[in-house]
Amino acid sequence: MSLSLTLIPIAIAATSVVSYALQDKIEEGIYYKIDTNIKDEKILTEALRNRGCSVALDKRQIESTLGNVEIVFQRQEDDTISAVFHQDIPVEDAEEFVKNTHEEYTRIVQQKTYHKLVERAKNEGLIPESEDRNEEDTIVLTFQVEE
């Protein structure tokens, strides 16, 4: 008997509060924000560092710098994290940055999920039978189940 599991890129997690000073500047139009479905600050920090950004954390936000561009990430009321950009940054560039960061975030989540699943399967006595990765970066694991 075989058991197949499919890991698809998804994103999850938690923490922090909104900085009201920056929120006022967003409302004034000095800054704008791009919403994401990112929730885990630690994984976001790792994704930003993997992309070559310097990262500073405080209790309210994540401040990231890429070259001479500063990007602030803030927790929203719905527990997701939004990216905040100065009005001088073209929206298209900001959207591309967020898209690329989200792809790296998703890759990290998938990698962590994969490692947890493989470890748990090993602890449960499942025997790996095959592992396939498709063009969408989906991993299909097949385990031998002892009867």
Side-chain angles (χ1 to χ4, degrees), residues 34-71:
I34 298 176
D35 295 327
T36 74
N37 63 354
I38 293 173
K39 292 187 175 184
D40 189 301
E41 291 170 336
K42 289 180 183 178
I43 296 175
L44 174 57
T45 299
E46 184 178 345
L48 290 166
R49 286 188 176 131
N50 288 354
R51 298 204 57 235
C53 298
S54 61
V55 179
L57 300 166
D58 71 25
K59 294 182 184 200
R60 298 181 192 182
Q61 60 198 21
I62 298 170
E63 295 176 9
S64 177
T65 306
L66 183 60
N68 62 352
V69 177
E70 291 185 21
I71 305 108

Side-chain angles (χ1 to χ4, degrees), residues 114-129:
Y114 168 83
H115 289 298
K116 285 180 188 176
L117 182 61
V118 169
E119 185 64 31
R120 180 177 278 165
K122 189 168 96 176
N123 292 340
E124 295 295 324
L126 298 174
I127 303 163
E129 196 171 276

Side-chain angles (χ1 to χ4, degrees), residues 17 19 41 46 59 62 71 79 89 91 102 131 143 146:
V17 184
S19 169
E41 291 170 336
E46 184 178 345
K59 294 182 184 200
I62 298 170
I71 305 108
D79 208 30
I89 306 300
V91 174
H102 187 269
E131 177 180 323
F143 295 95
E146 294 181 11

